[in-house]
Amino acid sequence: MSAQLLTYVFVGLSFALYIGIAIWSRSSTTQEFYVAGGHVHPLANGAATAADWMSAASYLSMAGIIAFEGADGARYLMGWTGGYVLLALCLAPYLRKFAKFTVPDFVGDRYYSQTARLVAVVCVIFISFTYVAGQMRGVGVVFSRFLEVDINTGVVIGMGIVFFYAVLGGMKGITYTQVAQFCVLIFAFLVPAIYISIALTNNPFPMLGLGSTMANEPVYLLDKLDGLTTELGMTAFTSGNKSTLDMLFITAALMAGTAGLPHVIVRFFTVPRVRDARISAGYALIFIALLYTTAPAVAAFARINIINAMDGLQYAEAPQWFGKWEDSGLIAWFDKNGDGEIQYRGGAAMSPATPAFAEGRGVSGERLLTNQPTANDNELYIDRDIIVLAHPEIAQLPNWVVALVAAGGLAAALSTAAGLLLVISTAISHDLMKKTFRPHITERQELRYARMAAAVAVAVAGLFGIYPPGFVAEVVAFAFGLAAASFFPVILLGIFSTRMNKEAAISGMLTGLVFTFGYIVYFKFIDPASNAAAHWWFGISPEGIGTLGMILNFLVAFVVMNLTPPPPQHIQDLVQDIRVPQARHALT
């Protein structure tokens, strides 16, 4: 059976499963819509958290970035993994003890202020829409190749699927759908990795194969890859070009941003007890480690296979998969010397920011680029977001593996997109309508507002997916920066400082959010030509500026809290009770 037909079968079956779960677990109360009734088993919540966490950025883009950037790409592994550990051990159990529906709910009650709640809602919307743009872009990438539609059409199809089970089932439907999506995405990620690891190193464990010798020659895989890349004028895979300061700031922003992501935090509100929150965090960490320890191996394997398969290949002899990806606009070739041979060298054949192509064809049949190619010897452009999806075809794996990877990519993108959209709808229906503007509405009316907000959020998310501000992992990194600069300080200080008051929380959140958002917008949109280390503040890229925004948030909060009155005594007692329980039963 062809890869195309198998993809239709695998994707169709997975979509039917997700929709069936949504119908089975339809929410009938606001508590079910917001936190799945608070009765999710820790194991199921761990799998759902892992699916929520391992978005399209983790599944599609992280290995692609590591494949292209080598050691520099480790910032995503270190930042996201370290951030989840920080969240699971230091924040999640305490947040669960507050027993709130949303992060703005926690902020509003902890800081005894409707203004603080509204600022938190604004932060949630900024962060979630930035994050969901990457997920919808990932959906479009998968559909554009495997269902042979353009990226925009793929985004629209993904919107329809997410709309159905997010609006119908709420957190209850999303939770059990995410359990199924985790099973699909982790199986789809590991199967081709194991296949390729055996082929290259004779080791069935990809994370060990990365440090093994090649199957056909007595040289370590990483040494082989370093030799291949340097011979072609590229930076060695195990080396990096980013400054130490920028790497530090990006990693810190990803870590702190993880601990401030509202769609991950809310997952710990769905379990019955605080102890269950800790247990589910442990399960999630194990499930996440399966993908995160495999991704560097997938990146290295892909880079070796791409170089071996593409460099020096006559375009007329290019395999069928190359033409398919070329038609989607995510692979491009420009024959600079007219020899009909693909030259894969250091540098970029075209601007990676816009993988667009003209409708015309060159003398060899290649798509003509709308961008002028750079003056280096490289003739091949490969979009980073397709590495995981294209790798099984490059490695000539069976068609069913190719189809499985496509289904896994959609599962990763859709699971996180649904969680983000629910956070947006909950912030609007619960924190804006119920808690602020219309406190006397009934539960039925609140549930109606939640579903209406989810529908609008799906439409806006689709627009962001059609017009993304960058490739998937980069867009997601911006969301983490915004979360680090806005939420992380107020959550951390709200748990561990009895002196932290509403004035400090509001001023700190606004400072961090405005500064970080302004920096990203300026260097990515207003003046992108200046997007170089010479123009960044202290050499810090837009990906890492969230750390500086977080520092400013902390500084402003500390200054303001010491210049304004302390919180009311009952708030201080609440913080003490959350951190230091007065009785043994408080731990259960």
Side-chain angles (χ1 to χ4, degrees):
M1 201 179 294
S2 69
Q4 184 73 33
L5 183 57
L6 281 169
T7 301
Y8 280 116
V9 172
F10 280 35
V11 171
L13 289 175
S14 64
F15 280 3
L17 175 63
Y18 306 152
I19 292 172
I21 292 173
I23 295 173
W24 166 75
S25 56
R26 179 187 175 99
S27 296
S28 57
T29 66
T30 53
Q31 188 176 28
E32 288 182 339
F33 193 91
Y34 294 150
V35 292
H39 301 300
V40 179
H41 189 278
L43 179 61
N45 193 57
T49 303
D52 214 354
W53 173 242
M54 291 188 293
S55 63
S58 295
Y59 186 96
L60 296 180
S61 200
M62 183 170 64
I65 283 187
I66 297 172
F68 279 88
E69 297 188 5
D72 284 342
R75 63 190 185 273
Y76 292 98
L77 284 172
M78 295 186 295
W80 285 337
T81 307
Y84 182 79
V85 174
L86 174 66
L87 170 64
L89 298 182
C90 299
L91 300 183
Y94 301 107
L95 288 170
R96 174 62 185 84
K97 293 180 74 174
F98 274 95
K100 300 301 177 184
F101 284 156
T102 66
V103 174
D105 214 6
F106 160 77
V107 172
D109 288 1
R110 165 58 182 85
Y111 294 109
Y112 51 97
S113 169
Q114 287 299 100
T115 303
R117 185 190 303 274
L118 291 174
V119 173
V121 169
V122 172
C123 293
V124 163
I125 292 173
F126 267 95
I127 294 166
S128 299
F129 273 128
T130 304
Y131 202 154
V132 82
Q135 311 315 307
M136 301 312 293
R137 153 79 176 178
V139 172
V141 168
V142 177
F143 276 129
S144 68
R145 164 61 182 91
F146 292 105
L147 299 186
E148 296 189 354
V149 298
D150 60 41
I151 291 180
N152 295 350
T153 303
V155 169
V156 173
I157 296 172
M159 287 168 57
I161 299 297
V162 173
F163 172 84
F164 188 87
Y165 68 77
V167 173
L168 183 66
M171 179 58 79
K172 185 179 178 182
I174 287 172
T175 295
Y176 295 108
T177 301
Q178 286 175 336
V179 173
Q181 288 168 331
F182 168 75
C183 296
V184 172
L185 75 88
I186 201 65
F187 187 69
F189 196 84
L190 292 178
V191 166
I194 292 170
Y195 259 101
I196 296 168
S197 182
I198 293 173
L200 291 179
T201 68
N202 288 329
N203 194 318
F205 300 100
M207 56 286 289
L208 300 179
L210 180 64
S212 301
T213 56
M214 299 291 292
N216 54 0
E217 54 184 311
V219 59
Y220 283 102
L221 183 138
L222 287 176
D223 289 337
K224 175 71 173 180
L225 181 53
D226 278 349
L228 289 173
T229 51
T230 52
E231 285 175 13
L232 297 177
M234 305 173 188
T235 303
F237 185 81
T238 56
S239 301
N241 294 317
K242 280 190 172 293
S243 69
T244 302
L245 181 64
D246 194 29
M247 281 286 288
L248 175 64
F249 269 64
I250 294 173
T251 303
L254 294 173
M255 287 183 64
T258 298
L261 283 178
H263 76 288
V264 177
I265 291 172
V266 75
R267 288 243 54 96
F268 297 100
F269 299 158
T270 64
V271 292
R273 300 172 296 178
V274 174
R275 186 175 70 179
D276 293 332
R278 294 190 178 98
I279 294 171
S280 65
Y283 280 128
L285 191 57
I286 294 171
F287 296 147
I288 291 168
L290 291 174
L291 188 145
Y292 272 63
T293 56
T294 305
V298 171
F301 298 161
R303 192 66 182 271
I304 288 177
N305 284 328
I306 288 172
I307 292 173
N308 289 336
M310 301 311 303
D311 185 50
L313 178 70
Q314 285 289 325
Y315 180 80
E317 300 173 359
Q320 184 180 19
W321 65 262
F322 186 91
K324 295 289 187 181
W325 282 111
E326 193 180 21
D327 287 344
S328 72
L330 299 171
I331 280 181
W333 172 62
F334 189 91
D335 192 8
K336 295 181 180 180
N337 55 14
D339 63 355
E341 185 177 290
I342 297 173
Q343 306 283 342
Y344 185 42
R345 299 289 186 269
M350 61 178 289
S351 171
T354 311
F357 51 82
E359 289 302 319
R361 294 277 186 172
V363 294
S364 299
E366 77 276 14
R367 286 283 186 182
L368 294 178
L369 308 179
T370 57
N371 308 63
Q372 288 297 317
T374 54
N376 56 54
D377 294 330
N378 187 29
E379 298 179 350
L380 182 66
Y381 167 76
I382 304 176
D383 191 285
R384 303 180 188 195
D385 289 338
I386 71 168
I387 292 301
V388 170
L389 297 174
H391 193 198
E393 294 177 295
I394 296 172
Q396 300 180 344
L397 297 186
N399 287 339
W400 69 267
V401 178
V402 176
L404 179 65
V405 170
L410 289 171
L414 293 175
S415 63
T416 303
L420 289 164
L421 293 169
L422 182 69
V423 164
I424 295 170
S425 70
T426 304
I428 293 172
S429 62
H430 183 70
D431 294 298
L432 283 184
M433 303 304 296
K434 178 67 175 178
K435 292 285 188 175
T436 307
F437 298 123
R438 301 194 64 184
H440 301 299
I441 59 175
T442 65
E443 183 172 329
R444 181 184 295 273
Q445 289 174 318
E446 185 181 353
L447 189 58
R448 187 183 304 120
Y449 280 123
R451 289 191 165 123
M452 290 170 58
V456 174
V458 169
V460 177
L463 290 176
F464 278 112
I466 293 171
Y467 304 103
F471 57 88
V472 173
E474 184 183 52
V475 175
V476 169
F478 296 153
F480 278 77
L482 292 172
S486 57
F487 275 140
F488 179 69
V490 296
I491 293 174
L492 187 69
L493 294 174
I495 293 171
F496 295 102
S497 172
T498 57
R499 186 63 179 79
M500 183 67 171
N501 58 20
K502 64 180 181 181
E503 293 84 2
I506 294 169
S507 56
M509 279 193 293
L510 287 175
T511 300
L513 180 67
V514 171
F515 170 79
T516 305
F517 184 74
Y519 191 94
I520 291 172
V521 168
Y522 179 79
F523 282 108
K524 296 301 295 183
F525 303 104
I526 296 176
D527 191 14
S530 298
N531 192 4
H535 299 274
W536 295 336
W537 288 15
F538 313 110
I540 303 171
S541 65
E543 286 180 276
I545 200 62
T547 299
L548 186 55
M550 177 183 67
I551 294 172
L552 292 176
N553 187 332
F554 273 120
L555 290 175
V556 170
F558 276 119
V559 170
V560 173
M561 81 166 69
N562 286 293
L563 295 177
T564 51
Q569 188 60 46
H570 74 277
I571 296 295
Q572 298 185 47
D573 293 340
L574 173 65
V575 175
Q576 289 284 10
D577 182 62
I578 292 299
R579 287 194 298 111
V580 186
Q582 300 301 311
R584 185 178 180 84
H585 70 269
L587 292 174
T588 61

